[in-house]
């Protein structure tokens, strides 16, 4: 029996000296779903992610997982309530081995050492990094570093996983591999995924729903095929990306 | 060089280097996590030394207990200084923390001067410390061998902790990238407190062997080990724990080579030569012998 959780953002606002970076954004996601968060550069995606994960304080609004308001918590507690993220600019512990990187993901949420090591090793095998387990993370190829970040995030047994541009810097072939890897993940890991990326091919074939931001505001949300036809979205992207 | 001189030289380098390695390690543990150069570290050692003095002079507690209490008081000062002085400034600029560490250092020094005495106090040393041991045809006081053995044991224990425990892996992660570790759920307070506790523990051990060599405790005694720690860290590398250890031993090696090779008339300039070498390191190899993985981000 898989437990269902709900991630909600309610009327979230954030301004930087008068400029509204996130303006009354609300969204909702269940475990087992993949939500694509898209929008042109500067549309507030990163700010939104940073608030969700406790890196930035909000001005108003709520971010909740089930009944817990995680936007009121210090950043280090957020993973324990089921939300972890990866980073657009990779943030691995470069001198630590791949295994240790993943282990930190697990122990960060209080999983005991033995179990953390077992889980970390299992995830690395799953993502095809098993044979590199004892190598320091800095020796990995770019693609493997991206995968290791995902493994480290999964080691925290998240209910919700936030992927910030996981395909950035990957070539087409590698992006396809990533797609194949992520597609079954909500089902297998009972996790809800929010993915931010500029690769529309990836977003369109991966996401159940899309949420589009522009100038900090929600301009569209819904099924991918509906969103891509939305005139406002087409306008925001100048009709180039979604076509 | 005949065998005896060589062994004497080796023992000197190893015993001095062990002490210096512990000093440097205590600095780097805190620096690694907080990026704070802790100028109050010398006073952690002084506190330990004074406790050894009080217990040694005014009580008849057995030595192991005296040492234990001495070490614990250095640990307490390390932990409390973090709690009272550094934690409120966490997240402020690095300069603010640096000045705070100066303040802690000066406050403690003045407390020693006003509360105890501006003059130095003789710290009793257990007789077995100075017992001469015959080894490879040369005699050396037992404390020289003790410090080597204890350092080896401590390094092994610390290695095991850092490599194989949850806390150790979390600390290594945090010392590489504090912000990311915190975002992965590693609690900042715990990791920083532990860093200060380990730093204080090392200071306590150093206090025992430092006073065994000098025989005294005085308010400003923390300065020389602090300076030694800095130099060792410059040589070995500020950003890695093994670097600090290597730095300590290399420092001792260079200092002993200078003592042996400098003509008698120049011997009083040994420290000047030492500093020249440090300047050379700063100019030519500012990252030290062992380069850790240094990332700019910092939360203290």
């Amino acid at each position: 029996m898989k437990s269902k959780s709900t991630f909600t953002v309610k009327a979230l606002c954030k301004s930087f000296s008068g400029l509204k970076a996130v303006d009354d954004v609300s969204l909702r996601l269940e475990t087992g779903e993949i939500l694509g968060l898209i929008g042109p550069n500067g549309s507030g995606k990163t700010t939104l992610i940073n608030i969700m994960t406790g890196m930035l304080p909000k001005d108003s609004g709520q971010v909740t997982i089930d009944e817990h308001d995680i936007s009121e918590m210090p950043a280090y507690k957020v993973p324990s309530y089921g939300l972890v993220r990866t980073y657009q600019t990779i943030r691995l512990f470069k001198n630590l081995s791949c295994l240790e990187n993943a282990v930190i993901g697990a122990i960060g949420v209080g999983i005991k050492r033995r179990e953390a090591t077992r889980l970390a090793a299992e995830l690395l095998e799953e993502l095809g990094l098993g044979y590199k387990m004892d190598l320091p993370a800095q020796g990995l190829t770019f693609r493997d570093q991206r995968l290791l970040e995902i493994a480290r995030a999964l080691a925290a047994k998240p209910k919700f996983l936030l992927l910030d541009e996981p395909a950035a810097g990957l070539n087409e072939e590698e992006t396809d591999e990533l797609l194949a890897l992520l597609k079954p993940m909500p089902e297998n890991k009972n996790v809800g995924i929010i993915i931010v990326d500029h690769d529309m091919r990836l977003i369109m074939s991966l996401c159940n729903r899309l949420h589009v931001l522009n100038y900090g505001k929600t301009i569209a949300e819904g099924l991918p095929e509906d969103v891509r036809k939305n005139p406002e979205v087409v306008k925001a992207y100048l009709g180039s990306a979604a076509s | 060089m005949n065998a005896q001189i060589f062994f004497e030289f080796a023992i000197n380098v190893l015993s001095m280097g062990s002490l210096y390695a512990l000093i440097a390690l205590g600095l780097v543990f805190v620096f690694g996590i907080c990026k704070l150069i802790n100028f109050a570290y010398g006073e952690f050692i002084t506190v330990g030394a004074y406790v050894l003095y009080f217990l040694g002079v005014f009580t008849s507690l057995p030595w192991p207990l005296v040492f234990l209490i001495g070490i614990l008081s250095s640990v307490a000062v390390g932990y409390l200084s973090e709690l009272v002085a550094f934690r409120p400034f966490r997240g402020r600029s690095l300069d603010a923390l640096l000045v705070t560490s100066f303040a802690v250092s000066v406050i403690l020094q003045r407390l020693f001067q006003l509360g105890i005495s501006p003059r130095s106090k003789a710290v009793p040393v257990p007789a077995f410390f100075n017992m001469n041991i015959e080894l490879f045809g040369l005699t050396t006081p037992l404390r020289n061998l003790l410090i080597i053995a204890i350092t080896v044991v401590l390094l092994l224990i610390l290695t095991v902790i850092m490599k194989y425990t949850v806390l150790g892996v979390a600390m290594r992660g945090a010392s590489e990238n504090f912000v990311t570790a915190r975002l992965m759920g590693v609690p900042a307070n715990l990791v920083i407190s532990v860093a200060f506790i380990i730093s204080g523990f090392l200071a306590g051990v150093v206090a025992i062997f430092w006073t065994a060599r000098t025989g005294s405790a005085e308010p400003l005694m923390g300065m020389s080990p602090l300076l030694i720690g800095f130099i060792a860290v410059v040589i070995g590398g500020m950003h890695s724990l093994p670097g600090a250890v290597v730095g300590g031993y290399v420092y001792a090696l260079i200092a002993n080579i200078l003592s042996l090779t400098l003509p008698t008339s120049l011997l009083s300039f040994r420290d000047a030569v030492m500093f020249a070498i440090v300047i050379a390191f700063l100019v030519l190899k500012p990252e030290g012998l062992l380069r850790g993985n240094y990332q700019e981000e910092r939360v203290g």
Side-chain angles (χ1 to χ4, degrees):
Chain A
M1 181 66 198
K2 283 179 179 171
S3 60
K4 278 274 174 202
S5 289
T6 313
F7 176 80
T8 46
V9 173
K10 259 185 230 149
L12 202 67
C13 294
K14 175 75 185 177
S15 307
F16 294 110
S17 42
L19 180 80
K20 287 193 166 170
V22 175
D23 190 357
D24 195 24
V25 171
S26 298
L27 58 84
R28 187 186 162 86
L29 174 75
E30 309 257 327
T31 42
E33 268 189 299
I34 303 185
L35 176 73
L37 182 61
I38 59 172
N41 283 325
S43 59
K45 304 182 299 282
T46 302
T47 310
L48 183 58
I49 290 178
N50 286 345
I51 298 172
M52 286 183 200
T53 47
M55 288 175 84
L56 269 180
K58 66 187 177 183
D59 290 344
S60 63
Q62 270 187 328
V63 182
T64 57
I65 291 177
D66 297 330
E67 71 278 20
H68 304 286
D69 189 344
I70 55 171
S71 63
E72 299 287 347
M73 292 174 188
Y76 75 91
K77 283 195 178 155
V78 171
S80 302
Y81 285 88
L83 180 68
V84 275
R85 66 173 293 183
T86 65
Y87 302 87
Q88 182 183 351
T89 50
I90 292 170
R91 289 179 161 211
L92 291 165
F93 306 110
K94 293 185 178 166
N95 276 350
L96 271 55
S97 71
C98 293
L99 185 66
E100 286 169 336
N101 267 280
V103 163
I104 288 189
I107 62 181
V109 296
I111 296 173
K112 294 277 174 290
R113 190 191 148 70
R114 200 175 292 267
E115 169 64 8
T117 312
R118 193 198 59 75
L119 180 65
E122 186 185 294
L123 286 166
L124 291 177
E125 291 290 353
E126 257 181 69
L127 298 188
L129 294 173
Y131 67 105
K132 292 180 176 164
M133 223 172 272
D134 296 319
L135 298 181
Q138 62 186 349
L140 295 184
T141 62
F142 192 74
R143 161 186 168 275
D144 287 352
Q145 293 192 17
R146 287 250 179 248
L147 291 180
L148 180 54
E149 272 217 331
I150 294 175
R152 184 178 66 178
L154 285 174
K157 291 191 171 171
K159 292 174 186 154
F160 296 98
L161 180 60
L162 237 159
L163 302 174
D164 192 358
E165 302 206 17
L170 299 188
N171 64 32
E172 209 158 306
E173 203 176 313
E174 291 166 337
T175 306
D176 284 340
E177 287 172 20
L178 183 71
L179 176 67
L181 202 78
L182 293 177
K183 192 91 186 171
M185 204 175 275
E187 181 67 22
N188 294 345
K189 304 275 177 211
N190 193 34
V191 67
I193 297 179
I194 298 181
I195 179 169
V196 173
D197 212 286
H198 289 291
D199 188 325
M200 280 306 144
R201 202 172 53 92
L202 175 72
I203 291 285
M204 287 295 167
S205 42
L206 193 59
C207 299
N208 308 106
R209 285 187 299 123
L210 295 184
H211 191 107
V212 193
L213 293 181
N214 199 16
Y215 298 111
K217 280 195 170 76
T218 303
I219 56 169
E221 54 187 318
L223 299 172
E225 50 271 30
D226 297 339
V227 166
R228 73 193 300 177
K229 290 182 205 131
N230 183 310
E232 268 217 71
V233 176
V234 174
K235 203 175 108 198
Y237 277 94
L238 291 171
S240 59
S243 57
Chain B
M1 194 194 282
N2 67 35
Q4 186 165 355
I5 293 180
F6 175 77
F7 280 126
E8 194 178 329
F9 176 78
I11 294 254
N12 280 342
V13 169
L14 287 178
S15 63
M16 211 167 131
S18 297
L19 187 62
Y20 294 180
L22 294 186
I23 296 173
L25 209 49
L27 270 179
V28 169
F29 253 99
V30 166
F31 182 84
I33 306 270
C34 310
K35 307 295 171 247
L36 161 70
I37 298 172
N38 184 12
F39 277 89
Y41 178 61
E43 278 61 48
F44 296 0
I45 298 172
T46 313
V47 167
Y50 273 121
V51 170
L52 295 177
Y53 155 72
F54 280 115
L55 294 178
V57 172
F58 300 108
T59 72
S60 50
L61 293 174
W63 282 113
L65 200 56
V66 171
F67 289 159
L68 184 68
I69 298 174
I71 291 174
L72 288 181
S73 42
S74 288
V75 169
V77 174
Y79 176 69
L80 288 176
S81 68
E82 195 276 318
L83 204 64
V84 175
F86 296 115
R87 189 167 295 186
F89 291 98
R90 192 175 305 159
R92 303 288 176 83
S93 73
L94 198 50
D95 309 338
L97 275 175
L98 196 64
V99 173
T100 306
S101 85
F102 271 120
V104 173
S105 168
V106 172
I107 289 170
L108 287 173
Q109 285 174 3
R110 294 301 171 266
L111 279 179
F112 303 141
Q113 282 172 341
L114 296 171
I116 302 170
S117 164
R119 296 217 209 122
S120 74
K121 296 283 185 188
V123 178
V125 178
F128 67 87
F129 259 43
N130 291 327
M131 192 170 69
N132 281 329
I133 300 288
E134 289 260 358
L135 199 71
F136 307 117
L138 76 113
T139 51
T140 182
L142 180 62
R143 62 182 153 88
N144 279 352
L145 302 179
L146 268 180
I147 180 72
I148 297 171
I150 285 176
T151 303
V152 169
V153 171
L154 282 181
L155 291 181
L156 281 176
I157 293 174
L158 285 174
T159 308
V160 169
I161 290 179
M162 294 308 280
K163 207 148 177 63
Y164 299 108
T165 69
V166 166
L167 196 63
V169 177
M171 285 185 74
R172 279 194 298 141
S175 71
E176 248 191 54
N177 193 327
F178 192 93
V179 175
T180 307
R182 195 169 137 77
L183 288 171
M184 295 309 301
V186 174
N189 285 346
L190 179 71
V191 166
I192 292 177
S193 288
V194 171
F196 272 89
I197 285 171
I198 293 178
S199 179
F201 179 86
L202 292 168
V205 176
V206 168
I208 294 171
F209 287 94
W210 190 271
T211 52
R213 222 172 49 170
T214 63
S216 65
E218 46 147 341
L220 303 182
M221 67 174 281
M223 301 285 268
S224 358
L226 185 70
L227 190 58
I228 288 169
F230 282 153
I231 295 174
V233 156
V234 166
I235 295 174
M238 197 83 197
H239 305 293
S240 91
L241 295 171
V245 176
V246 169
Y249 284 104
V250 171
Y251 181 157
L253 181 68
I254 298 173
N256 275 291
I257 288 176
L258 289 177
S259 296
L260 272 183
T261 54
L262 283 182
T264 330
S265 55
L266 289 178
L267 214 47
S268 52
F269 294 107
R270 196 188 79 175
D271 286 349
V273 177
M274 196 70 222
F275 286 128
I277 292 173
V278 170
I279 292 171
F281 258 97
L282 284 172
V283 173
L284 300 172
K285 208 162 169 40
E287 75 276 15
L289 291 173
L290 300 190
R291 180 164 169 62
N293 193 57
Y294 177 43
Q295 299 182 354
E296 280 297 332
E297 272 174 316
R298 177 204 73 86
V299 169

